[in-house]
Amino acid sequence: MMDKNMFDRLKTSEERLKEIDNLLLEEETAKDMKLFKSLSKERSNLEPVVEKFHEYQEAESNKNDALVMANDSDQEIASMAKEEIKNNEEKMEKIVEELRILLIPKDPNDGKDIIFEIKGAVGGDEANIFAGDLFRMYTRYCDKEGYKVKILDESPCGVGGYSYISFVVSGADAYSHLKYESGVHRVQRVPKTEASGRIHTSTATVVVMPQVEVNEVTIRTEDLRVDRYRSQGAGGQNVNKTESAVRITHIPTGIVVSCQTEKSQIQNHEICMQMLASKLAQLEEEKKEKTEASFRSKIGSGDRNEKIRTYNYPQNRVTDHRIGFTIQQLDRVMEGELDSIIEALMNYEQEQLIKGNKLD
């Protein structure tokens, strides 16, 4: 039923949970809020694993009791015991599979907010219009899930859509659901600007990053060039009045971030620094992944040059190329009904993690 490796890991988790409970009762822990928060988070991750382990042990105990009763001279009791053995064995098998999933290493970024960037890529005006469609799709999905969306910077286009838009998505589990969206999104349709009615192919790039606090990354002041300018576009209420918008260039990497949505220059500067921290952290993670030969569970590289999904309007079809998933409900997807695609991606990643982290 349960192999020794899994059992040992579960016993270790059980012992660690007891240790944490004792530490949380100590006065020194209560005084150290950082430690208290860290232990509380670790406990919340361990508790469901240990509870499921206890369910397994209970089923195993019931099965062992039934094994004794199965040899009873009373045939009715023996028959009931055999049925009890079967039921508990099935329950134990089910719990083992649930534990395999619970023991999958958690993505440390899953609880973080997200910084999204969407850019019109190949296709001129149609690419920018499509970038706007993607932004609307994500905001509709976020509204449905109860996530908050805050625009950081935008470059609207006269024909509609955006050549560039960045925004923050805040909410429990937001990153765990939307982290798969990085890459090239391709649209096939007749553009509004096309008089002949021919189908065009255009693309937009999406980048999804976990939001990182500035103090989590080393950023030297001398490595920054800060430009201040007047706000423009829909977010700029102070146009031609104050230079509240901020653009920061990280000279060693060439990374550029900007924000113009807040009235205060100080607030825009703080947002820029957080965006820069997130981009630098992502850059380091990408470097680490390229040099390490360890098993990676991510679906695709998340590289902005990797085509991940096609939105075919004539066929009302959406295809995610990474997992070969197709759904004939493009109209609903563009209204934010992303659940079936996201669920398929999450299930696929879960399967790959189980294969790559076998416990037997």
Side-chain angles (χ1 to χ4, degrees), residues 16-104:
R16 177 57 180 164
L17 185 63
K18 290 177 182 176
E19 182 183 5
I20 291 172
D21 283 340
N22 290 330
L23 287 169
L24 288 171
L25 293 172
E26 292 181 3
E27 188 176 342
E28 289 302 312
T29 304
K31 291 178 181 177
D32 188 341
M33 287 309 298
K34 187 176 180 180
L35 176 61
F36 184 85
K37 187 177 179 181
S38 174
L39 289 171
S40 297
K41 184 176 180 181
E42 186 181 356
R43 190 188 189 287
S44 68
N45 290 330
L46 283 173
E47 187 175 28
V49 175
V50 175
E51 285 181 353
K52 191 60 65 175
F53 179 42
H54 290 164
E55 283 183 34
Y56 179 89
Q57 290 176 313
E58 183 182 359
E60 186 177 44
S61 177
N62 291 338
K63 174 196 167 185
N64 291 335
D65 291 342
L67 282 170
V68 175
M69 294 172 62
N71 297 317
D72 197 280
S73 57
D74 188 318
Q75 290 302 308
E76 186 176 349
I77 292 175
S79 178
M80 288 174 61
K82 288 174 183 177
E83 186 66 25
E84 185 72 8
I85 292 168
K86 181 185 175 184
N87 290 340
N88 280 288
E89 283 181 344
E90 289 175 355
K91 186 176 182 180
M92 289 162 69
E93 286 178 13
K94 183 173 180 289
I95 291 172
V96 166
E97 290 308 309
E98 291 172 347
L99 281 166
R100 286 187 189 279
I101 294 170
L102 286 170
L103 287 170
I104 291 172

XYZ file of all heavy atoms in Angstrom, residues 16-104:
728
model
N 7.666 17.096 12.700
C 7.931 18.516 12.506
C 6.711 19.363 12.899
O 6.866 20.441 13.482
C 8.294 18.780 11.040
C 8.517 20.259 10.685
C 9.598 20.899 11.527
N 9.789 22.308 11.158
C 10.433 23.190 11.896
N 10.977 22.826 13.065
N 10.571 24.448 11.503
N 5.519 18.864 12.620
C 4.303 19.585 12.998
C 4.203 19.718 14.519
O 3.859 20.793 15.033
C 3.070 18.871 12.452
C 1.725 19.580 12.679
C 1.690 20.927 11.951
C 0.563 18.707 12.204
N 4.540 18.649 15.235
C 4.533 18.698 16.698
C 5.570 19.703 17.208
O 5.312 20.460 18.154
C 4.830 17.308 17.277
C 3.708 16.292 17.074
C 4.126 14.932 17.609
C 3.033 13.892 17.369
N 3.470 12.546 17.802
N 6.743 19.699 16.554
C 7.814 20.614 16.944
C 7.381 22.070 16.740
O 7.618 22.929 17.597
C 9.060 20.317 16.112
C 10.260 21.182 16.481
C 11.460 20.918 15.586
O 11.331 20.134 14.622
O 12.523 21.517 15.835
N 6.727 22.336 15.608
C 6.251 23.695 15.317
C 5.205 24.141 16.331
O 5.224 25.279 16.810
C 5.679 23.776 13.881
C 6.807 23.643 12.855
C 4.922 25.088 13.661
C 6.344 23.515 11.430
N 4.299 23.232 16.664
C 3.259 23.565 17.647
C 3.882 23.966 18.983
O 3.415 24.900 19.650
C 2.312 22.373 17.840
C 1.320 22.239 16.692
O 1.107 23.242 15.983
O 0.769 21.143 16.506
N 4.936 23.274 19.372
C 5.620 23.607 20.623
C 6.348 24.953 20.510
O 6.335 25.760 21.445
C 6.616 22.507 20.988
C 5.924 21.226 21.421
O 4.821 21.259 21.975
N 6.550 20.088 21.173
N 6.980 25.185 19.351
C 7.696 26.453 19.138
C 6.752 27.645 19.144
O 7.091 28.717 19.664
C 8.458 26.404 17.807
C 9.716 25.530 17.765
C 10.212 25.370 16.327
C 10.812 26.122 18.642
N 5.568 27.468 18.590
C 4.592 28.558 18.532
C 4.069 28.949 19.909
O 3.559 30.054 20.101
C 3.420 28.169 17.620
C 3.725 28.135 16.114
C 2.559 27.534 15.339
C 4.047 29.535 15.591
N 4.205 28.043 20.870
C 3.763 28.321 22.240
C 4.831 29.047 23.058
O 4.543 29.573 24.133
C 3.369 27.012 22.940
C 2.121 26.300 22.397
C 1.968 24.935 23.064
C 0.870 27.144 22.626
N 6.055 29.071 22.525
C 7.151 29.693 23.273
C 7.078 31.222 23.197
O 6.715 31.795 22.174
C 8.497 29.210 22.730
C 8.765 27.740 23.015
C 10.122 27.300 22.497
O 10.870 28.162 21.974
O 10.432 26.092 22.622
N 7.469 31.853 24.267
C 7.410 33.309 24.370
C 8.354 33.984 23.372
O 8.030 35.022 22.783
C 7.780 33.742 25.801
C 7.555 35.220 26.073
C 7.844 35.591 27.520
O 7.876 34.675 28.373
O 8.052 36.787 27.777
N 9.542 33.399 23.183
C 10.528 33.967 22.259
C 9.995 34.002 20.827
O 10.267 34.931 20.080
C 11.830 33.155 22.313
C 12.618 33.318 23.596
C 12.995 34.778 23.854
O 13.499 35.426 22.913
O 12.775 35.258 24.987
N 9.245 32.976 20.453
C 8.665 32.927 19.102
C 7.634 34.025 18.917
O 7.572 34.669 17.865
C 8.012 31.557 18.841
O 8.973 30.520 19.049
C 7.476 31.465 17.423
N 6.822 34.238 19.946
C 5.784 35.268 19.875
C 6.376 36.664 19.712
O 5.767 37.548 19.091
C 4.913 35.213 21.122
N 7.595 36.868 20.231
C 8.245 38.175 20.131
C 8.856 38.412 18.742
O 9.015 39.553 18.327
C 9.351 38.288 21.190
C 8.827 38.368 22.615
C 9.990 38.427 23.597
C 9.491 38.479 25.045
N 10.637 38.474 25.992
N 9.198 37.324 18.071
C 9.822 37.415 16.747
C 8.744 37.183 15.674
O 8.452 36.049 15.305
C 10.931 36.361 16.631
C 11.750 36.508 15.360
O 11.271 37.156 14.405
O 12.870 35.956 15.312
N 8.168 38.274 15.163
C 7.041 38.165 14.227
C 7.435 37.490 12.917
O 6.639 36.770 12.321
C 6.461 39.554 13.929
C 5.665 40.139 15.085
S 4.391 38.989 15.723
C 3.353 38.791 14.286
N 8.677 37.706 12.497
C 9.136 37.071 11.257
C 9.192 35.556 11.420
O 8.750 34.804 10.542
C 10.523 37.619 10.877
C 11.001 37.153 9.519
C 12.334 37.797 9.155
C 12.811 37.317 7.792
N 14.122 37.932 7.417
N 9.717 35.108 12.556
C 9.789 33.677 12.840
C 8.394 33.105 13.020
O 8.088 32.017 12.513
C 10.629 33.437 14.101
C 10.720 31.990 14.593
C 11.364 31.102 13.537
C 11.484 31.919 15.904
N 7.549 33.841 13.746
C 6.177 33.383 13.991
C 5.424 33.188 12.670
O 4.743 32.184 12.469
C 5.432 34.399 14.865
C 4.044 33.969 15.262
C 3.847 33.156 16.379
C 2.935 34.358 14.520
C 2.575 32.747 16.745
C 1.660 33.952 14.867
C 1.471 33.150 15.992
N 5.589 34.157 11.778
C 4.926 34.085 10.476
C 5.446 32.910 9.650
O 4.679 32.188 9.001
C 5.141 35.397 9.716
C 4.360 35.502 8.422
C 4.573 36.868 7.779
C 3.811 36.963 6.463
N 4.027 38.293 5.812
N 6.774 32.723 9.689
C 7.397 31.629 8.937
C 6.931 30.262 9.440
O 6.596 29.371 8.656
C 8.914 31.729 9.036
O 9.531 30.624 8.438
N 6.894 30.102 10.768
C 6.449 28.835 11.358
C 4.977 28.576 11.083
O 4.565 27.438 10.810
C 6.710 28.841 12.868
C 8.171 28.737 13.311
C 8.297 28.982 14.810
C 8.757 27.378 12.945
N 4.182 29.639 11.143
C 2.735 29.509 10.883
C 2.479 29.061 9.454
O 1.597 28.225 9.190
C 2.016 30.834 11.154
O 2.128 31.196 12.514
N 3.257 29.622 8.519
C 3.112 29.251 7.105
C 3.521 27.798 6.892
O 2.850 27.046 6.183
C 3.970 30.171 6.239
C 3.797 29.923 4.747
C 4.603 30.915 3.927
C 4.406 30.650 2.435
N 5.206 31.605 1.609
N 4.638 27.403 7.533
C 5.095 26.008 7.418
C 4.062 25.056 8.000
O 3.794 23.989 7.440
C 6.434 25.840 8.135
C 7.041 24.457 7.944
C 8.350 24.271 8.670
O 8.853 25.245 9.283
O 8.877 23.135 8.652
N 3.445 25.478 9.101
C 2.423 24.638 9.738
C 1.206 24.454 8.835
O 0.657 23.354 8.726
C 1.980 25.265 11.066
C 1.117 24.335 11.891
C 0.500 24.973 13.108
N -0.136 23.966 13.947
C -1.282 23.360 13.642
N -1.935 23.680 12.521
N -1.772 22.434 14.440
N 0.795 25.540 8.177
C -0.380 25.462 7.299
C -0.127 24.530 6.118
O -1.056 23.923 5.581
C -0.768 26.854 6.802
O 0.207 27.379 5.921
N 1.141 24.395 5.712
C 1.481 23.468 4.629
C 1.552 22.023 5.116
O 1.209 21.094 4.380
C 2.826 23.863 4.002
C 2.747 25.152 3.208
O 1.708 25.488 2.651
N 3.845 25.884 3.152
N 2.009 21.846 6.346
C 2.181 20.498 6.891
C 0.872 19.876 7.386
O 0.667 18.656 7.270
C 3.176 20.520 8.050
C 4.657 20.621 7.708
C 5.466 20.814 8.977
C 5.125 19.377 6.956
N -0.005 20.699 7.922
C -1.217 20.183 8.578
C -2.065 19.273 7.681
O -2.443 18.170 8.109
C -2.059 21.341 9.120
C -3.233 20.857 9.968
C -4.000 22.009 10.593
O -4.004 23.119 10.011
O -4.596 21.800 11.665
N -2.402 19.680 6.435
C -3.221 18.789 5.604
C -2.530 17.472 5.273
O -3.197 16.434 5.143
C -3.481 19.607 4.331
C -2.458 20.691 4.330
C -2.145 20.967 5.755
N -1.204 17.479 5.188
C -0.443 16.252 4.916
C -0.548 15.307 6.097
O -0.829 14.105 5.942
C 1.044 16.588 4.630
C 1.856 15.304 4.465
C 1.163 17.461 3.390
N -0.334 15.840 7.283
C -0.375 15.016 8.501
C -1.792 14.499 8.767
O -1.979 13.345 9.157
C 0.154 15.811 9.714
C 0.000 15.008 11.004
C 1.629 16.174 9.507
N -2.790 15.342 8.536
C -4.182 14.914 8.719
C -4.516 13.751 7.780
O -5.182 12.789 8.177
C -5.133 16.081 8.470
C -5.169 17.094 9.614
C -6.136 18.230 9.349
O -6.676 18.311 8.221
O -6.352 19.050 10.271
N -4.050 13.838 6.530
C -4.298 12.764 5.558
C -3.543 11.493 5.962
O -4.050 10.371 5.789
C -3.870 13.233 4.172
C -4.300 12.331 3.023
C -5.794 12.166 2.909
C -6.524 13.442 2.554
N -7.968 13.215 2.344
N -2.355 11.657 6.526
C -1.574 10.520 7.017
C -2.317 9.815 8.141
O -2.362 8.580 8.209
C -0.212 11.020 7.491
C 0.692 9.945 8.052
C 0.798 8.701 7.447
C 1.455 10.192 9.199
C 1.644 7.719 7.962
C 2.297 9.227 9.715
C 2.388 7.988 9.095
N -2.930 10.592 9.029
C -3.702 10.013 10.132
C -4.933 9.272 9.612
O -5.327 8.238 10.173
C -4.119 11.104 11.122
C -2.964 11.653 11.905
N -3.017 12.830 12.616
C -1.690 11.176 12.089
C -1.856 13.054 13.200
N -1.037 12.064 12.892
N -5.517 9.773 8.530
C -6.649 9.067 7.900
C -6.184 7.702 7.392
O -6.909 6.700 7.517
C -7.204 9.885 6.728
C -8.077 11.063 7.126
C -8.639 11.784 5.911
O -8.920 11.100 4.891
O -8.779 13.013 5.953
N -5.002 7.669 6.811
C -4.445 6.409 6.314
C -4.221 5.432 7.469
O -4.565 4.241 7.376
C -3.126 6.667 5.586
C -2.471 5.410 5.054
C -2.772 4.943 3.780
C -1.565 4.677 5.831
C -2.193 3.777 3.290
C -0.981 3.522 5.362
C -1.298 3.078 4.083
O -0.733 1.917 3.610
N -3.637 5.931 8.544
C -3.358 5.070 9.697
C -4.644 4.518 10.297
O -4.684 3.352 10.724
C -2.571 5.857 10.748
C -1.139 6.179 10.332
C -0.412 7.029 11.352
O -0.942 8.029 11.843
N 0.810 6.642 11.689
N -5.688 5.332 10.320
C -6.979 4.877 10.842
C -7.556 3.770 9.956
O -8.055 2.755 10.454
C -7.957 6.048 10.913
C -9.307 5.665 11.517
C -10.289 6.824 11.546
O -9.913 7.937 11.114
O -11.436 6.618 11.985
N -7.470 3.966 8.630
C -7.972 2.950 7.705
C -7.165 1.660 7.827
O -7.714 0.549 7.774
C -7.908 3.478 6.272
N -5.859 1.809 8.025
C -4.991 0.636 8.180
C -5.327 -0.110 9.466
O -5.360 -1.360 9.487
C -3.537 1.086 8.194
C -2.541 -0.061 8.208
C -1.113 0.426 8.147
O -0.798 1.403 8.876
O -0.302 -0.142 7.386
N -5.599 0.635 10.539
C -5.967 0.013 11.814
C -7.293 -0.741 11.687
O -7.433 -1.869 12.184
C -6.074 1.089 12.894
O -6.503 0.529 14.114
N -8.253 -0.121 10.997
C -9.553 -0.773 10.789
C -9.407 -2.039 9.957
O -10.076 -3.049 10.208
C -10.521 0.185 10.084
C -10.928 1.344 10.976
O -10.846 1.262 12.208
N -11.370 2.444 10.373
N -8.524 -1.989 8.982
C -8.278 -3.163 8.136
C -7.665 -4.300 8.967
O -8.069 -5.471 8.843
C -7.338 -2.785 6.989
C -6.920 -3.981 6.132
C -5.707 -3.647 5.275
C -5.111 -4.912 4.692
N -3.871 -4.666 3.941
N -6.698 -3.966 9.823
C -6.051 -4.984 10.654
C -7.033 -5.621 11.628
O -6.979 -6.834 11.886
C -4.870 -4.367 11.421
C -3.720 -3.987 10.489
O -3.574 -4.556 9.411
N -2.908 -3.031 10.916
N -7.932 -4.805 12.170
C -8.975 -5.349 13.054
C -9.874 -6.312 12.287
O -10.264 -7.372 12.802
C -9.826 -4.220 13.644
C -9.039 -3.379 14.641
O -7.989 -3.840 15.119
O -9.495 -2.244 14.935
N -10.194 -5.918 11.045
C -11.070 -6.752 10.217
C -10.388 -8.063 9.825
O -11.048 -9.097 9.672
C -11.501 -5.981 8.971
N -9.060 -8.038 9.671
C -8.326 -9.270 9.335
C -8.474 -10.327 10.426
O -8.564 -11.526 10.137
C -6.838 -8.939 9.131
C -6.459 -8.286 7.791
C -5.010 -7.789 7.834
C -6.644 -9.273 6.640
N -8.499 -9.868 11.653
C -8.686 -10.791 12.782
C -10.099 -11.380 12.746
O -10.298 -12.584 12.912
C -8.435 -10.062 14.120
C -8.751 -10.987 15.296
C -6.992 -9.561 14.190
N -11.070 -10.512 12.495
C -12.477 -10.936 12.469
C -12.789 -11.828 11.270
O -13.741 -12.611 11.303
C -13.387 -9.698 12.428
C -13.314 -8.840 13.689
S -14.205 -7.283 13.496
C -15.869 -7.864 13.219
N -11.975 -11.734 10.219
C -12.228 -12.536 9.012
C -12.074 -14.027 9.264
O -12.582 -14.857 8.494
C -11.280 -12.096 7.906
N -11.386 -14.387 10.359
C -11.199 -15.804 10.701
C -12.223 -16.305 11.716
O -12.095 -17.418 12.226
C -9.777 -16.012 11.257
C -8.710 -15.698 10.222
O -8.851 -16.078 9.067
N -7.652 -15.011 10.651
N -13.206 -15.445 12.009
C -14.229 -15.831 12.978
C -15.025 -17.030 12.461
O -15.287 -17.166 11.263
C -15.167 -14.639 13.233
C -15.979 -14.818 14.506
O -16.986 -15.555 14.472
O -15.596 -14.210 15.531
N -15.426 -17.889 13.399
C -16.197 -19.081 13.024
C -17.601 -18.734 12.539
O -18.208 -19.491 11.776
C -16.287 -20.043 14.221
O -16.871 -19.371 15.338
N -18.080 -17.566 12.955
C -19.395 -17.109 12.488
C -19.230 -16.559 11.069
O -18.557 -15.555 10.846
C -19.922 -16.010 13.425
C -21.359 -15.622 13.114
O -21.693 -15.500 11.914
O -22.135 -15.407 14.060
N -19.848 -17.251 10.105
C -19.688 -16.892 8.693
C -20.175 -15.485 8.361
O -19.623 -14.808 7.504
C -20.417 -17.917 7.818
C -19.764 -19.290 7.801
C -18.323 -19.223 7.312
O -18.044 -18.658 6.255
N -17.401 -19.778 8.097
N -21.216 -15.060 9.064
C -21.759 -13.719 8.807
C -20.746 -12.642 9.231
O -20.523 -11.663 8.522
C -23.078 -13.528 9.553
C -23.760 -12.210 9.201
C -25.126 -12.065 9.870
O -25.635 -13.054 10.439
O -25.675 -10.947 9.828
N -20.137 -12.857 10.409
C -19.121 -11.917 10.907
C -17.909 -11.930 9.984
O -17.352 -10.875 9.639
C -18.718 -12.268 12.350
C -19.891 -12.016 13.300
C -17.490 -11.462 12.782
C -19.628 -12.435 14.731
N -17.485 -13.123 9.559
C -16.335 -13.271 8.673
C -16.584 -12.583 7.334
O -15.698 -11.921 6.782
C -16.021 -14.750 8.453
N -17.804 -12.710 6.827
C -18.169 -12.087 5.549
C -18.154 -10.556 5.660
O -17.643 -9.855 4.768
C -19.543 -12.574 5.111
O -19.930 -11.946 3.913
N -18.683 -10.048 6.778
C -18.683 -8.598 7.002
C -17.252 -8.081 7.138
O -16.923 -6.990 6.654
C -19.478 -8.273 8.275
C -20.989 -8.455 8.129
S -21.869 -8.228 9.699
C -21.456 -6.533 10.091
N -16.403 -8.873 7.790
C -15.006 -8.475 7.983
C -14.273 -8.397 6.648
O -13.477 -7.470 6.418
C -14.310 -9.466 8.907
N -14.535 -9.351 5.762
C -13.896 -9.350 4.440
C -14.308 -8.117 3.625
O -13.499 -7.537 2.905
C -14.243 -10.628 3.686
C -13.536 -11.856 4.238
C -13.996 -13.130 3.565
C -13.324 -14.353 4.201
N -13.816 -15.619 3.599
N -15.572 -7.744 3.766
C -16.061 -6.537 3.093
C -15.379 -5.296 3.668
O -15.030 -4.364 2.935
C -17.586 -6.436 3.260
C -18.236 -5.302 2.485
C -18.145 -5.467 0.990
O -18.021 -6.616 0.512
O -18.177 -4.431 0.284
N -15.176 -5.320 4.996
C -14.506 -4.210 5.669
C -13.044 -4.112 5.226
O -12.518 -2.996 5.028
C -14.585 -4.415 7.191
C -14.028 -3.283 8.029
C -14.904 -2.040 8.030
O -16.042 -2.093 7.504
O -14.438 -0.998 8.543
N -12.405 -5.258 5.046
C -11.022 -5.278 4.563
C -10.933 -4.639 3.188
O -10.086 -3.774 2.921
C -10.479 -6.724 4.508
C -10.326 -7.288 5.922
C -9.138 -6.777 3.760
C -10.083 -8.785 5.968
N -11.844 -5.048 2.308
C -11.872 -4.520 0.946
C -12.082 -3.005 0.935
O -11.375 -2.270 0.233
C -12.983 -5.208 0.154
C -13.085 -4.731 -1.290
C -14.273 -5.361 -1.995
C -14.433 -4.782 -3.398
N -15.647 -5.314 -4.077
N -13.057 -2.536 1.718
C -13.362 -1.097 1.766
C -12.175 -0.272 2.258
O -11.873 0.795 1.717
C -14.575 -0.848 2.667
C -15.864 -1.362 2.052
O -15.947 -1.567 0.837
N -16.878 -1.593 2.889
N -11.506 -0.789 3.292
C -10.376 -0.042 3.855
C -9.147 -0.087 2.952
O -8.383 0.882 2.903
C -10.036 -0.566 5.254
C -10.975 -0.001 6.316
O -10.899 1.169 6.668
N -11.880 -0.845 6.805
N -8.967 -1.178 2.232
C -7.861 -1.250 1.276
C -8.065 -0.241 0.149
O -7.120 0.426 -0.287
C -7.732 -2.671 0.706
C -7.076 -3.644 1.675
C -6.932 -5.035 1.093
O -7.613 -5.331 0.074
O -6.145 -5.824 1.637
N -9.301 -0.128 -0.322
C -9.623 0.846 -1.367
C -9.406 2.274 -0.852
O -8.880 3.137 -1.573
C -11.064 0.669 -1.841
C -11.277 -0.603 -2.659
C -12.743 -0.825 -3.014
O -13.605 -0.029 -2.543
O -13.039 -1.766 -3.772
N -9.802 2.491 0.403
C -9.625 3.810 1.012
C -8.147 4.140 1.145
O -7.715 5.277 0.882
C -10.307 3.838 2.383
C -10.300 5.207 3.044
C -11.080 5.191 4.351
C -11.100 6.584 4.985
N -11.855 6.570 6.268
N -7.351 3.147 1.553
C -5.909 3.356 1.717
C -5.236 3.685 0.383
O -4.377 4.560 0.311
C -5.273 2.118 2.348
C -5.641 1.934 3.832
S -5.329 0.258 4.434
C -3.538 0.223 4.405
N -5.648 2.993 -0.671
C -5.098 3.269 -2.005
C -5.415 4.697 -2.433
O -4.568 5.401 -2.994
C -5.666 2.273 -3.020
C -5.083 0.872 -2.915
C -5.703 -0.084 -3.913
O -6.405 0.394 -4.833
O -5.497 -1.300 -3.785
N -6.642 5.127 -2.186
C -7.080 6.474 -2.549
C -6.277 7.528 -1.771
O -5.842 8.535 -2.327
C -8.576 6.633 -2.271
C -9.173 7.979 -2.676
C -10.688 7.944 -2.516
C -11.310 9.273 -2.917
N -11.039 10.355 -1.967
N -6.065 7.268 -0.487
C -5.320 8.216 0.360
C -3.868 8.317 -0.090
O -3.284 9.406 -0.100
C -5.415 7.805 1.847
C -6.851 8.009 2.354
C -4.439 8.611 2.694
C -7.106 7.456 3.743
N -3.269 7.188 -0.481
C -1.880 7.198 -0.951
C -1.736 8.103 -2.172
O -0.780 8.883 -2.283
C -1.388 5.766 -1.272
C -0.093 5.810 -2.079
C -1.172 4.984 0.014
N -2.700 8.004 -3.099
C -2.656 8.865 -4.289
C -2.814 10.334 -3.905
O -2.161 11.212 -4.483
C -3.753 8.445 -5.276
C -3.504 7.107 -5.938
C -2.116 7.010 -6.579
O -1.764 7.924 -7.360
O -1.391 6.057 -6.270
N -3.683 10.608 -2.943
C -3.865 11.988 -2.471
C -2.596 12.498 -1.792
O -2.220 13.665 -1.944
C -5.057 12.057 -1.504
C -6.407 11.834 -2.194
C -7.554 11.707 -1.206
O -7.293 11.541 0.004
O -8.720 11.769 -1.653
N -1.930 11.612 -1.055
C -0.687 11.995 -0.381
C 0.434 12.248 -1.382
O 1.274 13.122 -1.167
C -0.272 10.906 0.604
C -1.031 10.904 1.940
C -0.795 9.605 2.693
C -0.600 12.103 2.795
N 0.467 11.503 -2.484
C 1.471 11.740 -3.518
C 1.394 13.178 -4.023
O 2.406 13.826 -4.258
C 1.276 10.774 -4.692
C 1.710 9.355 -4.411
C 1.644 8.512 -5.678
N 1.858 7.109 -5.383
C 3.054 6.550 -5.214
N 4.137 7.299 -5.302
N 3.161 5.270 -4.955
N 0.151 13.653 -4.179
C -0.062 15.026 -4.650
C 0.308 16.027 -3.561
O 0.975 17.030 -3.819
C -1.528 15.214 -5.095
C -1.808 14.342 -6.329
C -1.830 16.680 -5.393
C -3.270 14.248 -6.709
N -0.102 15.746 -2.328
C 0.186 16.655 -1.217
C 1.682 16.777 -0.936
O 2.154 17.812 -0.469
C -0.536 16.190 0.055
C -2.045 16.412 0.109
C -2.648 15.688 1.310
C -2.365 17.900 0.169
N 2.437 15.722 -1.253
C 3.872 15.727 -0.989
C 4.693 16.345 -2.119
O 5.909 16.468 -2.005
C 4.360 14.298 -0.721
C 3.958 13.711 0.639
C 4.279 12.224 0.691
C 4.649 14.448 1.779
N 4.023 16.743 -3.207
C 4.727 17.429 -4.291
C 5.277 18.746 -3.748
O 4.555 19.502 -3.100
C 3.770 17.713 -5.469
C 3.364 16.404 -6.162
C 4.431 18.644 -6.488
C 2.286 16.590 -7.209
